[in-house]
Amino acid sequence: MFVNITKKGQTVALVGEPPKVGEKSPDFQLLNLKKQVIQLSDLLGKPILISVVPDIDTRVCSIQTKRFNQLAGELATVQFLTISNNTREEQEHWCAAEGVDMQMLHDPENHFGESYRILIPELNRYARAIFVLDQTGKIVYEEIVPEMSQEPDYQQALAVASAL
């Protein structure tokens, strides 16, 4: 089954149906900006908020990432990750320009996007999404933003993450 969202009103399809609340989150292994391997299974034990952005170099993705970067500094009990399929260099350049120091994971090969089924093949970008995982890796909140140019529901995601 394909899930459809819109990009500026035009319908685009995801590669499948993203994982849902109550399901075990698919494991992943991606590199951060320091070229360290970050594997989901190594992060378990604390709640995790995964912020997925289509392209770090766009306005809404920038707003979303800066907002979660700020929240990460205020909520030490939750691990915050931002994932996009931008290259390491693109993410590094953006972080340096914006003063962002949160955990950024890059996936230009689309492994994460395919396993979470949020890749939009015709755009080669990810859908804007938020996943909150409990300490065991179970998804307790997910939002696939229906219109790519809109921001996610920060308050709801943060409320769920804070309650864990």
Side-chain angles (χ1 to χ4, degrees):
M1 175 181 165
F2 289 93
V3 172
N4 292 325
I5 62 169
T6 57
K7 179 182 182 192
K8 296 183 180 176
Q10 298 295 315
T11 300
V12 292
L14 307 184
V15 293
E17 189 169 343
K20 298 287 182 212
V21 170
E23 294 179 13
K24 182 87 169 150
S25 181
D27 199 6
F28 59 81
Q29 182 174 309
L30 298 172
L31 294 174
N32 67 12
L33 297 181
K34 296 176 184 173
K35 299 181 183 176
Q36 299 166 319
V37 174
I38 304 298
Q39 189 164 337
L40 176 62
S41 56
D42 294 337
L43 300 175
L44 300 179
K46 283 177 73 174
I48 303 166
L49 188 147
I50 301 172
S51 171
V52 181
V53 296
D55 182 354
I56 197 65
D57 287 317
T58 60
R59 185 183 68 80
V60 178
C61 296
S62 181
I63 291 167
Q64 179 177 332
T65 304
K66 286 190 275 189
R67 179 78 183 267
F68 281 124
N69 183 63
Q70 175 191 4
L71 294 169
E74 299 170 4
L75 193 61
T77 58
V78 177
Q79 299 175 85
F80 287 81
L81 306 173
T82 292
I83 300 176
S84 74
N85 67 350
N86 292 97
T87 65
R88 177 179 168 268
E89 293 75 23
E90 289 169 330
Q91 286 184 348
E92 202 169 51
H93 180 264
W94 181 87
C95 285
E98 298 294 337
V100 169
D101 62 355
M102 74 182 303
Q103 185 81 272
M104 301 284 291
L105 304 179
H106 52 282
D107 183 27
E109 294 85 22
N110 295 326
H111 299 299
F112 177 86
E114 289 173 1
S115 68
Y116 278 70
R117 298 175 298 284
I118 57 168
L119 176 67
I120 304 165
E122 67 185 274
L123 302 176
N124 194 38
R125 290 289 177 210
Y126 295 162
R128 184 176 315 285
I130 305 293
F131 295 95
V132 177
L133 316 179
D134 70 8
Q135 298 84 335
T136 68
K138 185 173 82 173
I139 299 170
V140 294
Y141 175 83
E142 64 94 20
E143 177 186 10
I144 309 301
V145 180
E147 165 55 53
M148 286 179 71
S149 64
Q150 294 178 348
E151 293 177 59
D153 187 340
Y154 303 108
Q155 298 303 94
Q156 185 63 31
L158 192 59
V160 172
S162 298
L164 294 174

